[in-house]
């Protein structure tokens, strides 16, 4: 499940909603957060339903199910602790409140995962180029994070086989990532120290832009009605 979410974040190219116009992504996120400000279960259900439809279009229903299952872990913990606090006489919530916390946490987590998945490192690089900032860093970051995560997971799995505690395996993983970073800095010194002459090629999809725009209009309308 985590691998599916991980692959969508870092191993997908310029496809799907990543090709939507940047303003449509910002508008969609703003409308969803504006609806989330309203209390209760209804905003969470609406955002969850819209994300289900969008995820079925891209990156796929399998990604959505994986994201829900991954998000269910912190959601269950938050709702359980709030409910148990109420039972023990501490500031907490009842069963209905726990269900609301669970639902809102899952919906918000899926929203964050979906937003992160549709960010285009190519567009971010082009934006940084216009701002006269280091334009190669977003692309390098999108390529080095998966390597770092893979090394960390491998190191933890080795620790399980050797019956070592998890914190003892962090130092080897960090050492490998630092070495890898040194290689990148050495081999790409000229690119990192120079400025790109032109923007990286990227295309905008009218289809995905209109889908996000329609979703944003629905969310804005519900913000008024709810």
């Amino acid at each position: 499940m985590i691998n599916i979410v991980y692959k969508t974040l870092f191993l997908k190219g310029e496809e799907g909603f990543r090709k939507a116009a940047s303003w449509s992504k910002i508008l969609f996120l703003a409308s969803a957060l504006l609806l989330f400000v309203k209390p209760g279960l209804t905003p969470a259900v609406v955002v969850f339903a819209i994300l289900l439809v969008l995820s079925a279009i891209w990156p796929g229903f399998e990604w959505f199910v994986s994201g829900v299952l991954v998000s269910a872990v912190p959601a269950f913990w938050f709702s359980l602790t709030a409910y148990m606090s109420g039972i023990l006489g501490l500031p907490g919530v009842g069963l209905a409140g726990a269900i609301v916390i669970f639902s809102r946490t899952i919906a918000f987590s899926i929203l964050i995962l979906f937003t992160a998945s549709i960010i285009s490192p190519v567009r971010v690089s082009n934006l940084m180029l216009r701002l006269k900032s280091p334009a190669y860093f977003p692309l390098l970051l999108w390529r080095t994070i998966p390597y770092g995560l893979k090394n960390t997971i491998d190191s933890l799995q080795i620790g399980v086989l050797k019956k070592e505690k998890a914190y003892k395996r962090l130092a080897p993983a960090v050492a490998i990532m630092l070495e890898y970073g040194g290689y990148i800095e050495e081999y790409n010194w000229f690119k990192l120290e120079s400025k790109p002459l032109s923007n990286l090629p990227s295309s905008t999809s009218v289809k995905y832009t209109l889908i996000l725009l329609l979703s944003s209009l629905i969310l804005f309308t519900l913000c008024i009605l709810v």
Side-chain angles (χ1 to χ4, degrees):
M1 294 181 296
I2 295 177
N3 283 336
I4 294 174
V5 177
Y6 156 81
K7 289 178 181 178
T8 303
L9 283 172
F10 298 110
L11 302 183
K12 292 282 188 180
E14 291 294 299
E15 58 183 75
F17 287 107
R18 286 187 175 178
K19 299 178 68 176
S22 299
W23 61 265
S24 65
K25 301 175 186 178
I26 297 173
L27 185 64
F28 172 75
L29 179 61
S31 60
L33 292 177
L34 187 61
L35 183 60
F36 247 108
V37 172
K38 297 182 177 294
L41 184 62
T42 303
V45 173
V46 171
V47 172
F48 185 88
I50 289 180
L51 288 173
L52 171 60
V53 175
L54 294 178
S55 300
I57 299 173
W58 191 91
F61 186 71
E62 185 181 21
W63 174 90
F64 183 81
V65 174
S66 301
V68 169
L69 293 177
V70 171
S71 304
V73 177
F76 178 75
W77 173 253
F78 292 151
S79 59
L80 179 62
T81 52
Y83 180 65
M84 293 302 297
S85 296
I87 293 178
L88 296 174
L90 301 173
V93 297
L95 181 59
I99 294 175
V100 171
I101 292 175
F102 181 82
S103 303
R104 288 178 66 90
T105 303
I106 285 186
F108 186 76
S109 300
I110 295 297
L111 175 63
I112 297 302
L113 288 174
F114 182 78
T115 303
S117 298
I118 65 177
I119 293 176
S120 169
V122 173
R123 293 177 184 273
V124 175
S125 296
N126 289 337
L127 175 61
M128 294 185 68
L129 180 60
R130 295 190 190 99
L131 298 175
K132 298 181 179 180
S133 301
Y136 285 111
F137 286 167
L139 293 175
L140 286 175
L141 190 64
W142 245 261
R143 292 296 176 260
T144 53
I145 287 179
Y147 184 83
L149 292 175
K150 181 179 181 301
N151 278 322
T152 303
I153 293 173
D154 291 343
S155 181
L156 292 174
Q157 289 175 341
I158 292 172
V160 172
L161 295 176
K162 298 175 67 175
K163 297 181 179 180
E164 293 181 347
K165 294 184 178 180
Y167 72 88
K168 291 185 177 180
R169 299 305 310 172
L170 294 178
V174 172
I176 294 175
M177 286 188 284
L178 290 175
E179 182 181 12
Y180 182 70
Y183 289 149
I184 290 179
E185 184 177 8
E186 180 180 353
Y187 297 151
N188 295 278
W189 181 87
F190 178 75
K191 289 183 178 180
L192 294 174
E193 295 299 324
S194 60
K195 294 183 179 180
L197 299 179
S198 60
N199 290 340
L200 296 171
S202 63
S203 59
T204 300
S205 171
V206 177
K207 168 188 172 183
Y208 291 108
T209 300
L210 291 177
I211 292 174
L212 285 183
L213 177 60
L214 178 61
S215 302
S216 302
L217 292 176
I218 294 174
L219 290 171
F220 276 124
T221 303
L222 291 174
C223 284
I224 300 173
L225 298 177
V226 175

